[in-house]
Amino acid sequence: MVRGRVQGVGFRPGLYRSMTMLGCGGCVRNTPEGVCVEVEGPEDAITHLLRNFAGMVPSRARIDELEVFEAEPTGETSFHIEKSTEDGPSLLPVPPDFAICPDCERELVESGGRRTGYAFNTCTCCGPRFTIARGVPFDRVASVMDEFPLCAECSNEFKNPENRRFHAQTMSCPECGPALSFFCPGCAGGDGGAEPFRGSLALEAAARYLKNGMTVAVKGVGGFHLACDAMDAGAVARIRACKGRPHKPLGVMVADMQTARCICHADRASENLLCSERAPMVLLRKKPTGILSGGVAPGLQHVGVMLPYTPFHRLLFDQEGTPPVLVMTSCNRSEEPIATGSFEVASGLSDMVDGILDHNRRIENRCDDSVAGIIAGSPVVFRRSRGYVPEPVMLGYGGPPVLAVGAMWKNTFTLTSGRRAYMSQHIGDVSDADNEDYFEDTYEKISSLLRIEPEIIACDMHPDYPSTNFARRLARQKGLELRPVQHHRAHILSCLAEHGVDGPVIGVSMDGTGYGEDGNVWGGEFFVADARICERKYHFKYIPMPGGERAVAEPYRMALSYLSDTYDPGKALSIMETRGEELPLQQVCGLIGRGDFSPPTSSCGRLFDAVASILGVRHICTYEGQAACELEAIADGFVEDAYPFVVRNRGIEFSQAIACAVEEKRAGENIGAISARFHNTVAKVVVDTCCRLRSEEGLRVVALSGGVMQNAYLVERCIRGLRAGGFSVLTHGEVPPNDAGISLGQALAALVEKNSGIY
Ligand code: ZN
Ligand code: ZN
Ligand code: FE
């Protein structure tokens, strides 16, 4: 029995070829648990097989577990692929969606082939999987491809062991497969005609629209994108206006790696990630001379870049006139789920698009693009979706199946089965009603796809998160126990889970906001934590958060609060420079002393907000984390010194740092240098506090988590300082450090408590 990523990657055909070559008989079949292989043959062949098994499987397979049993030979001399068995729980049902492979890409452009210019070219090792899967095991009949019966020629290829599409479940050709079409919203046809354009005419039309500065909705793998020329400021501005997204960075897709290098700096690690079969969007540092419109990622140093990861994207860029850099942002109104149906786009979003490049391969599971970046030389996933989901994270523990519902923003949920933790795709802000529905739909789909019936439900401690309400409802319905897990403990556990580590560690959670055990808003926390116990040892000093949640979107509120903590309120008001922006400063100052309107917070994210506003970088945000991102973008990488801070009663106080920053700004110091010194200060707080905890608790391993740990400038300095101090450091990689990772940490907490008999 082989478990891991062994289905939908050409595992059985690959094995067939190796076994036939070795002269072994037997069979291979997909089961919901993994792939079952029976082999018999000469002794030396079997020995060779057992020794070299890992090298004999296809490159996109991943073996997590290999179990070997001895059995009586049955006299089988030939090897064959058996029909799948379908019952039982599913341990690895469906692989993630893979980017087009080099062989299929070659077939696209080579002239005269059966699949030249074919927009849905896939093979055993590439193409959509999760987004088209309806059931397990992953076979054509259990996917939306069952609507496209194979033609005679494809059928021959499918049955021929010598062919590279032998048993390719998603294969098709122009004869029998899906097709592209292009039409304008409001009429059935292309360019206002009665009939849509089809095939290559559809691609030509899309290219023509894009070239002329128009917006085209492009149906992709997990949903529709809105596309326009990323070098055309007017087109970019129009997409922003339609989406209701004034500043939030837009992702782009570039024709090829060479184009990516024209607009951005790309190191080897970023290139590897971009070109991998997961093909995420990767954040790259913009070149100042780039041709990219300034409206794509305003105020930021980085822009999210993708390569064409499907044949139709590849073909679109090959059309004459297609701009080499296209904005490719999810087709939705701001914060709503990504659209998957052309009807939805043509009717609901028709004001946004001039044309629709559609196809008739249905999207069964909605899935956004994944987003990753390189921090300290290693990839870190910020949004784990297409290309990653539903691949499990292997935990150090097994136990009863758990559903963990995550937090509020950037929501994901996690379902566990044994040691496997399946994190859902990015769902988004579940305080939005549409996303709440999306959450519940996705839960229904994934729990049935994975055949997992949870026995424990974990949620955030926050009493009012919609995800917590859902968890409560489900627990009541099914008579299950509900386990609330503190937000920042879940952050630390998500990092431990990813590394398969138990602790104890020093857990550093630098975060936006999360509900604390004392009912206050936490977010700058130092724990001593293992999988079971998490004790808060130090934290950022509590500062009032004037207007509560409103302060998250309006950093000037935290600026006033930190300034009032440093000086008297009158001086605080006089320091704030609003440069013409009309802000109710006086009123907000009035809230600061009132506990009912200003809950205390120890949030690190709110400290960044305060500094961004004090420096005049941003007073009001139009997307989550904007102030902190813009503050990071201006930080001068050559500045090494830091401001002073004080540790009193286990609280870390920044009033001296704030006073220094204010003083330097008044003296005319460059704000990039002030931003850098402030970042360096927080890094120094992290390193110094870890040193204190080492001498108090004897711990030398540090886990860094929380939304602020997406800040590459900060994380790199924390890692450097900690390593120089003799610590070993655990950081995030494939599990997001932000709230998208929370559900994994919650799941681990529930499993561990169950195992240790705490309840
Ligand atoms: Zn391929
Ligand atoms: Zn065919
Ligand atoms: Fe968080």
Side-chain angles (χ1 to χ4, degrees), residues 39-51:
V39 198
E40 59 186 274
E43 203 175 319
D44 51 335
I46 302 287
T47 319
H48 176 84
L49 168 69
L50 288 177
R51 208 170 286 152

Side-chain angles (χ1 to χ4, degrees), residues 487-488 491 511-513 707 738-739 742:
H487 188 96
H488 302 101
H491 270 306
D511 198 31
T513 52
N738 57 47
D739 283 8
I742 286 281

Side-chain angles (χ1 to χ4, degrees), residues 447-658:
S447 59
S448 81
L449 200 61
L450 298 167
R451 301 186 188 178
I452 298 176
E453 260 298 316
E455 288 170 24
I456 305 173
I457 304 180
C459 63
D460 198 276
M461 269 174 70
H462 197 295
D464 303 324
Y465 279 175
S467 57
T468 304
N469 289 333
F470 171 76
R472 238 184 252 133
R473 235 173 19 245
L474 197 67
R476 209 178 309 121
Q477 248 171 47
K478 304 201 175 218
L480 301 176
E481 30 188 346
L482 186 64
R483 293 291 130 192
V485 181
Q486 201 278 320
H487 188 96
H488 302 101
R489 179 184 173 213
H491 270 306
I492 300 301
L493 288 186
S494 72
C495 186
L496 298 189
E498 172 167 14
H499 291 276
V501 171
D502 253 5
V505 299
I506 299 171
V508 181
S509 184
M510 294 293 127
D511 198 31
T513 52
Y515 190 82
E517 275 160 11
D518 58 4
N520 292 331
V521 181
W522 290 10
E525 317 299 321
F526 293 84
F527 299 100
V528 166
D530 63 17
R532 286 170 185 77
I533 297 158
C534 190
E535 269 181 82
R536 189 190 195 206
K537 295 289 183 184
Y538 290 92
H539 60 87
F540 287 11
K541 180 188 166 185
Y542 283 128
I543 297 287
M545 199 169 150
E549 279 296 315
R550 283 195 70 174
V552 177
E554 301 179 358
Y556 77 88
R557 291 171 182 260
M558 286 313 295
L560 281 171
S561 189
Y562 264 100
L563 288 171
S564 306
D565 180 63
T566 307
Y567 311 101
D568 60 79
K571 178 133 192 229
L573 273 173
S574 73
I575 289 168
M576 284 295 284
E577 282 176 37
T578 57
R579 267 196 239 111
E581 263 181 87
E582 274 193 40
L583 304 170
L585 299 181
Q586 207 94 41
Q587 268 160 278
V588 170
C589 260
L591 293 178
I592 288 171
R594 301 186 50 182
D596 44 345
F597 290 108
S598 301
T601 183
S602 55
S603 163
C604 180
R606 300 293 78 81
L607 171 63
F608 273 80
D609 284 353
V611 174
S613 171
I614 291 168
L615 295 185
V617 173
R618 175 127 330 253
H619 300 305
I620 303 226
C621 295
T622 66
Y623 63 89
E624 196 216 336
Q626 182 177 12
C629 289
E630 291 176 353
L631 189 65
E632 180 193 355
I634 59 165
D636 179 342
F638 293 104
V639 174
E640 293 296 337
D641 54 330
Y643 298 128
F645 58 91
V646 174
V647 183
R648 205 187 328 254
N649 300 328
R650 305 208 159 247
I652 297 151
E653 302 184 7
F654 288 91
S655 50
Q656 289 189 18
I658 298 281

Side-chain angles (χ1 to χ4, degrees), residues 8 73 79 119 163 192 211 317 402 422 485 583 609 619 642 655 698 703 707 723:
F79 198 86
N163 194 284
K211 181 184 164 192
F317 279 106
V402 176
Y422 298 95
V485 181
L583 304 170
D609 284 353
H619 300 305
S655 50
R723 292 219 175 114

Side-chain angles (χ1 to χ4, degrees), residues 347-426:
S347 58
L349 305 170
S350 59
D351 56 320
M352 289 193 188
V353 296
D354 302 308
I356 300 175
L357 182 58
D358 192 14
H359 60 68
N360 57 347
R361 185 179 72 202
R362 278 190 304 113
I363 297 172
E364 184 67 23
N365 297 302
R366 193 194 302 256
C367 200
D368 290 82
D369 291 311
S370 292
V371 181
I374 303 293
I375 298 184
S378 306
V380 182
V381 175
F382 301 135
R383 185 161 80 195
R384 190 178 180 277
S385 277
R386 176 187 51 76
Y388 292 85
V389 172
E391 209 155 71
V393 177
M394 292 297 281
L395 302 174
Y397 295 82
V402 176
L403 163 67
V405 296
M408 171 114 106
W409 292 284
K410 299 185 163 73
N411 183 276
T412 67
F413 61 83
T414 292
L415 275 163
T416 70
S417 171
R419 287 178 50 212
R420 290 172 174 73
Y422 298 95
M423 298 176 73
S424 76
Q425 66 268 47
H426 164 82

Side-chain angles (χ1 to χ4, degrees), residues 29-273:
R29 65 179 169 272
N30 278 345
T31 75
E33 210 186 323
V35 169
C36 181
V37 193
E38 289 170 25
V39 198
E40 59 186 274
E43 203 175 319
D44 51 335
I46 302 287
T47 319
H48 176 84
L49 168 69
L50 288 177
R51 208 170 286 152
N52 302 301
F53 190 75
M56 295 163 97
V57 305
S59 59
R60 285 184 181 178
R62 196 189 75 182
I63 299 177
D64 292 337
E65 282 171 324
L66 177 66
E67 253 184 294
V68 182
F69 308 95
E70 259 184 67
E72 275 303 307
T74 58
E76 194 69 66
T77 52
S78 66
F79 198 86
H80 54 271
I81 298 181
E82 269 189 10
K83 251 183 84 86
S84 303
T85 51
E86 279 161 32
D87 8 284
S90 170
L91 285 182
L92 187 88
V94 180
D97 302 291
F98 297 118
I100 184 170
C101 75
D103 287 336
C104 285
E105 197 162 351
R106 203 170 309 123
E107 284 176 346
L108 275 192
V109 291
E110 262 169 17
S111 59
R114 230 159 71 71
R115 295 186 175 86
T116 306
Y118 179 49
F120 299 88
N121 199 15
T122 72
C123 69
T124 44
C125 61
C126 79
R129 301 286 189 270
F130 169 65
T131 52
I132 61 167
R134 266 201 316 251
V136 286
F138 184 74
D139 276 353
R140 194 178 189 92
V141 289
S143 81
V144 305
M145 288 306 287
D146 73 340
E147 289 167 25
F148 304 95
L150 293 176
C151 67
E153 230 170 310
C154 284
S155 184
N156 285 336
E157 291 175 334
F158 186 86
K159 284 185 253 170
N160 176 6
E162 307 301 318
N163 194 284
R164 72 183 194 89
R165 288 196 175 79
F166 180 45
H167 275 255
Q169 303 298 335
T170 58
M171 72 179 286
S172 60
C173 76
E175 276 303 303
C176 62
L180 289 172
S181 60
F182 180 93
F183 63 99
C184 299
C187 66
D191 286 348
E195 276 296 308
F197 294 118
R198 302 206 185 268
S200 60
L201 290 177
L203 285 167
E204 274 173 31
R208 194 167 61 243
Y209 273 58
L210 291 166
K211 181 184 164 192
N212 291 320
M214 294 197 247
T215 306
V216 178
V218 179
K219 186 172 177 182
V221 172
F224 273 87
H225 282 122
L226 276 179
C228 78
D229 184 349
M231 301 168 297
D232 180 335
V236 175
R238 210 156 69 83
I239 278 196
R240 286 202 172 281
C242 289
K243 279 193 64 152
R245 201 193 237 202
H247 307 115
K248 191 171 177 179
L250 301 168
V252 300
M253 188 180 273
V254 294
D256 46 31
M257 203 56 230
Q258 207 181 336
T259 313
R261 283 188 218 107
C262 282
I263 58 170
C264 294
H265 300 276
D267 57 9
R268 182 41 59 90
S270 319
E271 278 196 27
N272 287 345
L273 199 54

